[in-house]
Each structure stands twice: as structure tokens, then as C-alpha cells.
Amino acid sequence: MMTDALDLAGLAGRHLDLVTAPFTLPRSRVLVFREGDGVRVHTSEYERRLSDCRVLDLVEVLDPDGAVLPVADVRPERIAFGGPPLAAPAEEPEVRATLTFADPATLSLGGHPGLRVRLTHPDGRIEEHALGPGLRLHIGADRSVTVEPGEHAEALAATTEVWRDWFARCPRVRDDLQEMTAFCWWVLGANIVELPSLGDARAIVPSKIGYVGLWQWDAYFIAVGLRHGDPALAREQLDIAFRFPQPNGQLPDVVHEEGVLATSDDLPESDRANLRRAGSQIADPAAPVPLTKPPLAAWALRKVLDAEDAPEWVRRQLATVIRSQDWWFADSDLDGDGMPEYGHPYSSGLDDSPIFDGPLPTAAPDLGAYLVRQDRELAALLSRYEPDADVSRFHARAAATQELLLRMWDADAERFLAFGGGETLRSDTVVGLMPLLTGTLPEPIAAALRAAVDDTERFALPWGLPTVAASDPDFSEERMWRGPVWINTAALVAEGLEASGDPERARQLREQTVALVIHGGGPHEYFHPRTGQKARTATTAFGWSAALFVDLAVTLSA
């Protein structure tokens, strides 16, 4: 088993192809990708496409004869140029120059005497510089590049130390899971950004490629994986997620560098109009649409505390989480029947699911299950950290919510159904399996859900648990939340199976899920359920997939 931090960094480096996994540094907004035999440089910015954040279209290292030295090897701390290129991985690369970071906003190049660097700018300008003892490319906030000499060896040593420190925290797991765990740990470190408006806060974003902000739900899943190696950083993710509750207790969907996304009023006017058109038929169409994520805050809190207790910290968080839970019942029970609904698809986390094809608001069994679970988690946390607190209201509300949840069970179809604007929604989706998380379903219902997980016509596909049953007319192998496998839903269903009395089937689903990530080449956003490969439009190096792989690997290695 690998134990040395740099050995683990080397394992992660096997997956740094500069295509699906760019070269970057914790806290940096700079991304480096392959471009021919050289590399290109982008910045990572909130709500901006990668193509809109070009810094350098091409960086090439030239030998004394003017020939381009190809990228030969990549490790977390540096890109090597020389030969043979990456296409011949069995050969030991000849390293003639390296690229690393001098600081989060500055790249450093260094190499053999006589080498030069050619830079191609987005406006077509080309400039060349002698490499000398080292060359630094400082990238400004406006994406400008300042070139100046600098000591390369020091920069390389400092970057190596950053990654050595990060990989020293990487969990040690089963040998067959260690390489992918190391890569997933790299993904988590690589996705750390600073949010200047929050001082020195470190947010682990879903991806520096397109998702630069701290989404509430992502923060929960990411914290669950981080807790195994860096519980303080895991707590920091929850700190940020809980830092900006609305006056009524609602938690925002996103915390980003320019503020928060908590309602439609936090979006550009064109997006606001779209949101209102898709909003609830019950809510006031002129009012701001609340945007949040499902209530898994107490679940994440408890898991992070299981890794490292922090009594004073959790006491500060509990009031915020309780107010958020109360908000669901006070402000998101839009039809007044006692069961909160999703007022907008964004708030579900599964916004492209067919359960939102009909009218809104949507009463969904996953939300009911999360609310039951959260009230019970809150009661347990209060009993642990505030022993004098009266927790009876949480137990009572959980029991009442479960009764309403059970009314969503269709005995003839043997599945939980969602309801949109009062209309029955027949789509057979993964949200109907989430009531397993309560652990207290009547045994015939729990048995029917376990059977659904094992049904090869519905959810038991070759590479895991699809988000829509394969037998459903809405099933699509590639479309987001309409068939592809997502690591978070698979992990939650596995936990539900265990809570509902089938630990062996839970273990099998966890094994299948980690095998999927390894087979698919990394922690992608979502996967094709029949081939096990990255779905065509999925983002790569995705934060919660990486974090939950780490969590599953640790669980399976215990």
C-alpha cells in the first residue's frame, strides 16, 4: 500500500491528461490544458465559459534549433517538456523543461540552457523569450500576461511542497482503490478556490471548468469525502454554505465570488423571466423565486463530526440548520397540505428530472425522505451537543412527514410517485428510491424498493443505478438526470439500503459505484449507464463525484 505523499501524487499524475484534468494549483484560478505539443492557459471564472477566459492560446517550448519540445509527462507539481511525448507512457520521459506555479496567479518555466518559450496570445500576437534560469508569466485579473525572469527551482520546490502537504492527508484505502482515491483527492485539492469577498475562505468548487462557486448541495457531498483527510477543510465548506441564510431561514443555492444566489432576483433579468415562467402555479408569479438545495445539512454535519468532533463549532451551526429546516415547512409547503414541495426545479438538485416536466410545485418523495431524515438528525445532534434541549418537536414532525410521505406510495405500481401541481407524475425515477433513507418504512414497502434496485429492467443496469428507470419512456442514456448514473444518488441509495436492513446489497452497490468511476477513467459529473463511460456532456474532474468516491473507498476499506 502506498504511504508516501509523493508516491500518491505520482498515482494521481497518471490521470492528469491536460484534457479532462487540467494543470492547476489549490487556490489558483489558472488552468493549463494540452494544445498540440504545447499548452494553452485559461482563467476560471464564475458564470463564464472556458472559451471566454482565454489567457494564452499556445505556450511552446523550443529547442536551440527551433523545434517544439512536446509535453512528455505531467505530475501535480509540474508539466514536463521533452520526449518521448505522453503517447509513449512505457518510456521514461526525457525532461528538458518544466512548467509549474510560482504563486496562484503566476506560472514559472525553466529548463536546459538554450531553450526558448513562444507565447501566442488570443489576439494573434506572438512573442518569444529566452528561458534563461527561469521565466515567470504573471496573469492579471484582466487576463493580461506579464513576462519577467524568476528563479524556477524555488517555484518548483514550493509547488512540490504544496502538493506533498495535500497528499499527506489523502486517505489510505484498499490497494485496488488507492490510485483512483489519489486522483480524486487531487481533484478536491485542484478545485480549491479563494472567494475574495469572504477573506481567505477556501471553497472547493464543483469544477474549475464551468462551476466556480460553492453550491449548497455540492458542499455537503464534498465535505463528506473531505472529512477523511482534512476535517477542518470539510467544516469550512459547511461554514460557507451556512454563512448567508435569508431572513426567513432559507439557505442560498450558491455562494460565489460576487455574492449569493438565493432567489431569482440574484440572476440577470433574462434568467429571472425564464425562472418565473417555470415557477410554481401557486406562488405569486411576480414574487422572487426562492432557489436552494435539498435539506441534507444535518446529515453532512453529523458525518463530518463523526470524523473529528468539534462541539463549539457545531453549536454555532445548529441554529442555522434548524431555521433552514423550519423554512421548508413554513415557506415551501406551497399548497398547505403539510408536505413541503419544490417550488422550482433548481431547488431539487435534479432539475432536469422528468418529475419536473409537469406543472409546479412538485411534491417529491426524495424531499419528504430528506426532511424526515433531517429532523431525526437534528434531534440526535441536539441531544448530543445541547442535552437540555427539547427535541420532541423534531421527532413529532418527522413522524408526521413520514405519514404524508407514505401517502405518496402507489401500491399497484409498487413505487413512490411525485405530484406536480396536484397532478400525479408517473415517471419512474431515482427520487422514488430515496425514502429508503428514512430507515423506517413498512417492511413490504422497503422490500419493494429493494426489489426495484435489483430489477434489471428498471435500476439494475450494467454500470449502476440510473436516475430514471430503463423501462420508463423518459429514460435517456445521456441526458442529465434522465438516465445517466450520478455518484451522489448511487451513494444515497446505498446508504438507504443499509438503513433499511440490507447492508450486503448496500455494499454491492458501493462496490459497483467505485468500479464505475475507475472504469470510466475518473470522477466525472455523470456516466452512461450501459457503457460506464463519461456521458457526452458531463463535466470532468467533478467535485462531489471525487469526494464521494473517497468516502466510498474508505467505507469499503474498513
Side-chain angles (χ1 to χ4, degrees), residues 316-333:
R316 293 195 301 271
Q317 310 301 335
L318 277 172
T320 299
V321 178
I322 290 169
R323 290 189 67 230
S324 170
Q325 177 79 342
D326 290 344
W327 171 83
W328 281 99
F329 291 91
D331 292 271
S332 203
D333 178 12

Side-chain angles (χ1 to χ4, degrees), residues 468-527:
V468 171
S471 56
D472 192 278
D474 292 315
F475 173 76
S476 170
E477 295 167 336
E478 294 273 7
R479 188 173 169 187
M480 181 185 287
W481 295 121
R482 298 178 84 95
V485 178
W486 288 70
I487 305 306
N488 66 327
T489 50
L492 287 171
V493 170
E495 186 163 334
L497 288 166
E498 186 167 35
S500 296
D502 198 343
E504 177 55 27
R505 185 65 184 90
R507 185 194 64 78
Q508 292 170 4
L509 181 54
R510 288 168 177 144
E511 292 282 7
Q512 184 182 39
T513 304
V514 295
L516 166 69
V517 176
I518 293 170
H519 170 78
H524 308 309
E525 187 179 14
Y526 48 96
F527 298 77

Side-chain angles (χ1 to χ4, degrees), residues 446-461:
L449 295 186
R450 292 194 295 265
V453 172
D454 288 333
D455 188 340
T456 57
E457 299 298 314
R458 293 174 67 194
F459 291 104
L461 296 195

Side-chain angles (χ1 to χ4, degrees), residues 46-107:
Y46 178 65
E47 289 293 285
R48 288 186 175 87
R49 295 185 181 91
L50 200 63
S51 57
D52 296 330
C53 300
R54 294 155 57 200
V55 175
L56 289 167
D57 284 354
L58 190 58
V59 179
E60 298 168 297
V61 179
L62 311 177
D63 71 10
D65 297 324
V68 176
L69 299 178
V71 174
D73 182 46
V74 184
R75 289 178 56 96
E77 72 275 11
R78 57 98 179 113
I79 298 173
F81 299 86
L86 286 174
E91 302 180 41
E92 189 68 25
E94 177 192 1
V95 177
R96 298 179 64 186
T98 56
L99 181 149
T100 190
F101 279 86
D103 61 53
T106 307
L107 296 170

Side-chain angles (χ1 to χ4, degrees), residues 188-404:
L188 294 175
N191 282 347
I192 296 174
V193 304
E194 292 181 342
L195 298 176
S197 62
L198 303 183
D200 61 354
R202 300 170 297 168
I204 297 184
V205 302
S207 172
K208 285 183 179 176
I209 309 171
Y211 291 97
V212 189
L214 184 135
W215 273 257
Q216 184 194 147
W217 224 26
D218 298 70
Y220 300 156
F221 296 125
I222 287 169
V224 165
L226 270 180
R227 67 186 170 130
H228 297 295
D230 198 334
L233 187 55
R235 292 193 298 272
E236 190 169 347
Q237 305 316 295
L238 301 183
D239 271 332
I240 298 170
F242 300 155
R243 194 176 297 189
F244 301 99
Q246 300 298 288
N248 59 10
Q250 176 215 330
L251 290 172
D253 186 4
V254 190
V255 178
H256 55 83
E257 59 201 39
E258 299 170 11
V260 301
L261 174 61
T263 78
S264 54
D265 282 353
D266 298 321
L267 291 169
E269 181 53 43
S270 59
D271 290 341
R272 293 181 211 173
N274 290 336
L275 274 176
R276 290 191 177 115
R277 278 194 293 272
S280 167
Q281 295 182 2
I282 294 173
D284 180 354
V289 180
L291 301 175
T292 186
K293 281 292 182 284
L296 285 174
W299 171 84
L301 269 178
R302 190 255 309 161
K303 284 181 175 286
V304 168
L305 292 163
D306 286 348
E308 182 178 273
D309 204 9
E312 293 305 316
W313 174 80
V314 71
R315 289 187 186 103
R316 293 195 301 271
Q317 310 301 335
L318 277 172
T320 299
V321 178
I322 290 169
R323 290 189 67 230
S324 170
Q325 177 79 342
D326 290 344
W327 171 83
W328 281 99
F329 291 91
D331 292 271
S332 203
D333 178 12
L334 298 170
D335 59 7
D337 67 351
M339 174 64 85
E341 296 93 20
Y342 292 125
H344 194 278
Y346 280 15
S347 295
S348 74
L350 286 73
D351 40 280
D352 204 35
S353 172
I355 68 168
F356 298 110
D357 287 354
L360 292 169
T362 301
D366 62 327
L367 178 56
Y370 299 145
L371 290 166
V372 170
R373 181 69 177 259
Q374 176 136 289
D375 267 329
R376 291 176 181 160
E377 297 274 15
L378 284 170
L381 287 167
L382 284 167
S383 297
R384 177 175 170 183
Y385 294 102
E386 303 282 358
D388 295 331
D390 181 1
V391 299
S392 58
R393 80 175 182 101
F394 300 102
H395 287 301
R397 189 165 61 187
T401 306
Q402 179 149 324
E403 285 302 310
L404 293 170

Side-chain angles (χ1 to χ4, degrees), residues 32 37-41 56-69 79 81 96-100 107-121 125-138 145-150 152:
V32 181
D37 284 340
V39 298
R40 70 179 191 276
V41 182
L56 289 167
D57 284 354
L58 190 58
V59 179
E60 298 168 297
V61 179
L62 311 177
D63 71 10
D65 297 324
V68 176
L69 299 178
I79 298 173
F81 299 86
R96 298 179 64 186
T98 56
L99 181 149
T100 190
L107 296 170
S108 176
L109 283 149
H112 292 185
L115 299 181
R116 297 182 65 79
V117 176
R118 183 162 62 206
L119 309 177
T120 303
H121 294 263
R125 288 182 299 115
I126 297 175
E127 56 180 303
E128 287 191 17
H129 299 269
L131 205 52
L135 202 63
R136 295 193 173 179
L137 312 177
H138 178 76
V145 180
T146 303
V147 183
E148 56 190 18
H152 181 68

